[in-house]
Amino acid sequence: MINPEMLKLGTERCYIRELAEYGAQQAKIVGREHVYDFSIGNPSVPAPQAVKEAFLHLIDEVDALAVHSYTAAPGMVEARAAVAEDLNRRYGTDLRAENFFFTYGASAALTAVIRALAVPGAELLAMAPYFPEYRPFAENNGMKFVVVPAEETFQIPLQALEERITPHTQAVLVNSPNNPSGVVYSRSSLESLAGLLEKKSREIGHPIYIIADEPYRELVYDGTEVPFIPTIYPNTVVCYSYSKSLSLPGERIGYFCVPDQAQDSRELWDAAAGAARAMGHICAPSLQQRVVALCAGCRPDLESYDRSRMALYTALTAYGYECIKPTGAFYMFVKAPEGDGRAFSDRAKAKNLLVAPGEDFGCPAYFRVSTCVDTDMIRRSLPVFRALMDEA
Amino acid sequence: MINPEMLKLGTERCYIRELAEYGAQQAKIVGREHVYDFSIGNPSVPAPQAVKEAFLHLIDEVDALAVHSYTAAPGMVEARAAVAEDLNRRYGTDLRAENFFFTYGASAALTAVIRALAVPGAELLAMAPYFPEYRPFAENNGMKFVVVPAEETFQIPLQALEERITPHTQAVLVNSPNNPSGVVYSRSSLESLAGLLEKKSREIGHPIYIIADEPYRELVYDGTEVPFIPTIYPNTVVCYSYSKSLSLPGERIGYFCVPDQAQDSRELWDAAAGAARAMGHICAPSLQQRVVALCAGCRPDLESYDRSRMALYTALTAYGYECIKPTGAFYMFVKAPEGDGRAFSDRAKAKNLLVAPGEDFGCPAYFRVSTCVDTDMIRRSLPVFRALMDEA
């Protein structure tokens, strides 16, 4: 008498996590220096000093009853206002505290928004390559998950997307900078997407929302622009996490934001708040909310991410690997020389080099390399990458 | 095209929260000293000093990358083991880290367990008086919510419960020490309940679980015993929160625990883990997990809660109010002199004395008084309580 879908979700093997565990095991056998783990996307840069100081200030100098108390379900007004102000300053928007709802990170924001849009038959579109958890988030919160095959450059596959829009399409997931490709959607791509969605929304008689999943918004290189999607397409809900931008992945602090300009803005915000309530949301961690209030303008130190990205990109392409140059996040998505990402991942594993096969991201010919790793491990891994190409 | 149930959940007025907001408004008009707010159950005792020291140690002395990193989805093994050890020491159990799954507080634990048990037609029994959020947690996660009317002394209404068990009954919620009554279920009551559930489980051919919601486990007075329910009834899942015991309500840290002795223990744990994943759970806040690992044996300072409890109980019963003496939590549940808790709450509100009407707790003739308030406010409020009785 146990729910079989939940049991399946709870027992499914996660290949990427198993790779990382295998790596930890192998390190004990062959030595840490002979294992090259590029499997998981954990920030490798510590939280900014200002974040540490904010924590210390809150714990040491502020009344404990106040610091640890329940906040309103959507979060402290001061914290939400601080985030609104930071975005307004950067993007010329007119967001207010009331547009925001703090959640347990971007995942909880996504599930709340998905459930808010889950009407009978509802469909959610995701463009490959995509973050694998999108599928269970959609399928277990009342939406059909529809994959749009990738475009060669991992930009927006506009025609394939158009072909998959139906009267049931409620939203399109947009994840830029992208996990796993590291690609940032250009302003012109996003404008084309906006044009398409406006046209199709009119045709089907209801808005198709963009759900912008933006945990990597601040992780961008070479001066690449990351357009703020609500300024291009008003029917956009933003889901955000401080996991990467403040290097607080375990602390579970993020938000959803429904701008006033979105159609049925208040109803959508309310329904997502209701969905969060249904899932047991009381408030996002109060200490973390207060840190965000103090550090909303902090930016991550990108230098070491950039160095790792360039070291790997330069070497791998020199060895003959094909890869779109990543300009954001901390991943690169590489075509397997044998055209099969799982086969490559298995070959690599045999040499204690761990990369995630692309199948779970919707692109079976590719593998993902997490570049948020130390540069010394990169240096040691390069002969292995070269050998894997030579043997292909 | 927005989910109407979620919209309803997100826009529903919460009378208790509105009372508290009214109180804050009135305080600005008539002065804080003329408002007597007994509406909300926020801890009024700060977190123990050891908790503060644990936070400072973790932030100041431990590597930031490690402290704030993702943990495994169920939580850090060290933290789970520390909790298991503390319970084993107190209750003679043989719990292991593997029985625990850290969640965003007890609410997220409850929704995960409910969803794990949500098979078609599933029913969840709750005995009045009960925490109002149980209803949306059940109804929005696939279970029918079945109320068992209260027994006079707010102990377990055994016969009424038996009458409501059907082949669809999957679980009974047990909340002891109880919100709102402050009653602790006695060992003999729980043994009778266990006997009944064993008998009925055999009859219907599958286990009826107890979901023990225990955020107030450590808040108990007069040396009252709080039996650990898994030691009485093996098919018990424990949902716990550190909101009250460590005075960290906003920090969202708690767990569910499925002991090995429970039928289908591993499957139930896995399904609840799957349900958490479906709702966007990644890991409970890592800093808070680490604090629990260091402070699993800390107990709250009960002296001021006890003082407030006795001051209110003694005065109100002297004025003629009828109330079961609370021996746990920080509430008392009082019979309205006019037999209508909402009418009493309205009369009280007109005098700026705020108490929660009992209807949302399943007992419309009662009102709830939160006793976790400062003793000075209690002293000032007593003439108002007296006048409300005299005018009834």
Side-chain angles (χ1 to χ4, degrees):
Chain A
M1 299 295 277
I2 286 171
N3 182 313
E5 288 87 24
M6 295 304 114
L7 184 56
K8 178 167 172 287
L9 264 191
T11 48
E12 243 167 28
R13 297 166 62 221
C14 171
Y15 190 78
I16 298 177
R17 201 171 276 274
E18 283 181 6
L19 269 184
E21 282 160 15
Y22 176 83
Q25 283 303 318
Q26 281 299 96
K28 288 179 197 159
I29 300 168
V30 301
R32 178 164 296 279
E33 69 280 16
H34 300 298
V35 175
Y36 322 100
D37 185 355
F38 297 92
S39 64
I40 283 193
N42 259 326
S44 57
V45 167
Q49 182 65 19
V51 167
K52 178 174 178 170
E53 282 163 13
F55 272 118
L56 287 176
H57 161 69
L58 290 164
I59 296 292
D60 207 23
E61 296 166 27
V62 183
D63 174 45
L65 268 180
V67 165
H68 302 302
S69 68
Y70 291 113
T71 73
M76 295 169 64
V77 171
E78 304 86 308
R80 295 188 284 152
V83 176
E85 202 175 301
D86 177 60
L87 291 170
N88 291 343
R89 196 170 36 72
R90 291 157 71 195
Y91 302 115
T93 44
D94 55 357
L95 297 165
R96 299 168 298 119
E98 289 72 18
N99 300 117
F100 292 82
F101 188 108
F102 275 108
T103 57
Y104 309 124
S107 295
L110 286 166
T111 53
V113 172
I114 287 171
R115 211 167 162 184
L117 290 171
V119 295
E123 294 173 0
L124 178 65
L125 265 59
M127 302 175 272
Y130 56 81
F131 178 54
E133 286 295 288
Y134 291 161
R135 181 185 291 276
F137 290 170
E139 292 181 345
N140 293 285
N141 291 294
M143 274 194 167
K144 186 177 165 194
F145 188 67
V146 179
V147 173
V148 182
E151 192 260 345
E152 278 267 302
T153 60
F154 298 136
Q155 284 285 331
I156 296 171
L158 217 58
Q159 200 189 323
L161 182 74
E162 177 163 12
E163 289 164 8
R164 281 161 185 81
I165 292 174
T166 78
H168 293 298
T169 305
Q170 285 275 71
V172 179
L173 275 164
V174 174
N175 174 220
S176 169
N178 183 264
N179 173 10
S181 73
V183 161
V184 178
Y185 294 154
S186 68
R187 176 171 287 276
S188 70
S189 291
L190 290 166
E191 284 170 349
S192 302
L193 175 63
L196 171 65
L197 295 182
E198 276 156 16
K199 184 187 82 172
K200 298 301 283 186
S201 295
R202 276 194 305 274
E203 275 178 37
I204 64 174
H206 64 81
I208 300 170
Y209 292 97
I210 285 179
I211 302 176
D213 178 28
E214 304 201 327
Y216 300 100
R217 190 199 295 143
E218 279 74 26
L219 273 65
V220 67
Y221 316 99
D222 304 337
T224 306
E225 182 197 15
V226 181
F228 189 59
I229 304 178
T231 63
I232 295 176
Y233 184 65
N235 289 334
T236 297
V237 180
V238 176
C239 295
Y240 189 79
S241 166
Y242 291 92
S243 293
K244 277 76 185 187
S245 62
L246 296 183
S247 288
L248 296 174
E251 304 303 1
R252 312 318 304 142
I253 182 78
Y255 59 77
F256 64 76
C257 167
V258 188
D260 292 340
Q261 289 76 8
Q263 198 172 325
D264 301 322
S265 167
R266 191 44 35 188
E267 288 76 11
L268 183 50
W269 189 98
D270 281 334
R277 181 182 168 199
M279 298 189 282
H281 171 100
I282 302 295
C283 61
S286 51
L287 183 60
Q288 280 82 329
Q289 286 188 46
R290 286 173 166 85
V291 167
V292 167
L294 295 170
C295 302
C298 284
R299 297 292 163 260
D301 174 11
L302 297 177
E303 203 195 313
S304 81
Y305 289 145
D306 197 8
R307 210 164 42 229
S308 300
R309 170 185 76 113
M310 285 313 296
L312 275 161
Y313 177 74
T314 309
L316 266 62
T317 49
Y319 302 154
Y321 288 95
E322 286 177 53
C323 172
I324 302 293
K325 185 177 181 181
T327 54
F330 41 46
Y331 308 101
M332 50 197 282
F333 206 46
V334 185
K335 196 175 242 170
E338 58 267 75
D340 179 339
R342 182 60 176 266
F344 181 88
S345 170
D346 287 344
R347 279 206 294 131
K349 189 179 169 189
K351 295 182 194 293
N352 293 320
L353 187 148
L354 308 174
V355 296
E359 55 196 350
D360 289 344
F361 302 95
C363 296
Y366 289 76
F367 61 90
R368 186 187 75 172
V369 178
S370 289
T371 62
C372 48
V373 294
D374 79 65
T375 41
D376 195 50
M377 187 183 88
I378 294 175
R379 191 182 46 72
R380 285 183 281 112
S381 74
L382 293 182
V384 187
F385 274 112
R386 182 193 285 258
L388 285 163
M389 173 55 89
D390 292 346
E391 293 163 14
Chain B
M1 298 296 277
I2 286 171
N3 182 313
E5 289 87 24
M6 295 304 114
L7 184 56
K8 177 167 172 287
L9 263 191
T11 48
E12 243 169 26
R13 298 167 60 221
C14 170
Y15 190 77
I16 299 178
R17 202 171 275 273
E18 283 182 5
L19 268 182
E21 281 161 15
Y22 176 83
Q25 283 302 319
Q26 282 297 96
K28 288 180 196 158
I29 300 168
V30 301
R32 179 164 294 280
E33 68 280 16
H34 301 296
V35 175
Y36 322 101
D37 185 355
F38 297 91
S39 63
I40 283 192
N42 259 326
S44 57
V45 167
Q49 181 66 18
V51 168
K52 178 174 177 170
E53 283 164 13
F55 272 118
L56 288 176
H57 161 69
L58 289 164
I59 297 292
D60 207 23
E61 296 165 27
V62 183
D63 173 45
L65 268 181
V67 165
H68 302 302
S69 69
Y70 291 114
T71 73
M76 295 168 63
V77 171
E78 304 87 307
R80 295 188 285 152
V83 176
E85 203 176 299
D86 177 60
L87 291 170
N88 291 343
R89 196 171 37 71
R90 292 157 70 194
Y91 302 116
T93 43
D94 54 358
L95 298 165
R96 300 169 297 119
E98 290 71 18
N99 299 117
F100 292 82
F101 188 109
F102 274 108
T103 57
Y104 308 125
S107 294
L110 286 166
T111 53
V113 172
I114 288 170
R115 211 167 162 183
L117 290 172
V119 294
E123 295 174 358
L124 178 65
L125 266 58
M127 303 175 271
Y130 56 82
F131 178 53
E133 286 295 288
Y134 290 161
R135 179 185 291 276
F137 289 170
E139 292 181 346
N140 293 287
N141 291 294
M143 274 195 168
K144 186 176 164 195
F145 188 67
V146 178
V147 173
V148 182
E151 191 260 345
E152 278 268 301
T153 60
F154 298 136
Q155 285 286 332
I156 296 170
L158 217 59
Q159 200 189 322
L161 182 73
E162 177 163 11
E163 289 164 9
R164 281 161 185 81
I165 292 174
T166 77
H168 292 299
T169 305
Q170 285 275 70
V172 178
L173 275 164
V174 173
N175 174 220
S176 169
N178 183 264
N179 172 10
S181 72
V183 161
V184 178
Y185 294 154
S186 66
R187 178 172 285 275
S188 70
S189 291
L190 289 166
E191 285 171 349
S192 302
L193 175 63
L196 171 66
L197 295 182
E198 277 156 16
K199 183 187 81 172
K200 299 300 282 185
S201 293
R202 275 194 305 272
E203 275 177 35
I204 64 175
H206 64 80
I208 301 170
Y209 293 96
I210 285 180
I211 301 175
D213 178 27
E214 304 201 327
Y216 300 100
R217 190 198 296 142
E218 279 74 28
L219 274 66
V220 66
Y221 316 100
D222 303 339
T224 307
E225 183 198 14
V226 181
F228 189 59
I229 304 179
T231 63
I232 296 177
Y233 184 66
N235 288 334
T236 297
V237 180
V238 175
C239 295
Y240 189 79
S241 166
Y242 291 91
S243 293
K244 277 76 185 187
S245 61
L246 296 184
S247 288
L248 296 174
E251 303 304 359
R252 314 316 305 141
I253 182 77
Y255 59 77
F256 64 76
C257 167
V258 188
D260 291 340
Q261 289 75 8
Q263 198 172 324
D264 301 322
S265 168
R266 190 45 34 188
E267 289 74 12
L268 183 50
W269 189 97
D270 281 335
R277 181 181 168 198
M279 298 189 282
H281 172 100
I282 302 297
C283 61
S286 51
L287 184 59
Q288 280 82 330
Q289 286 188 46
R290 286 173 165 84
V291 167
V292 167
L294 295 170
C295 302
C298 284
R299 296 291 164 260
D301 174 10
L302 296 177
E303 201 195 313
S304 81
Y305 288 145
D306 196 7
R307 211 164 42 231
S308 300
R309 170 186 75 113
M310 285 313 296
L312 276 161
Y313 177 73
T314 309
L316 266 62
T317 49
Y319 303 155
Y321 288 95
E322 286 177 53
C323 172
I324 302 292
K325 186 177 181 182
T327 54
F330 42 46
Y331 308 100
M332 49 197 284
F333 206 45
V334 185
K335 196 174 241 171
E338 58 268 72
D340 179 340
R342 182 60 177 265
F344 181 88
S345 170
D346 286 345
R347 280 206 293 132
K349 188 178 170 188
K351 294 182 193 295
N352 293 320
L353 187 148
L354 309 174
V355 295
E359 53 196 350
D360 288 344
F361 301 95
C363 296
Y366 289 76
F367 61 89
R368 186 187 75 172
V369 179
S370 290
T371 62
C372 50
V373 294
D374 79 65
T375 42
D376 196 50
M377 188 183 88
I378 294 175
R379 192 183 47 72
R380 283 182 283 110
S381 74
L382 293 183
V384 188
F385 274 113
R386 182 194 285 260
L388 286 163
M389 174 53 90
D390 293 346
E391 292 163 15

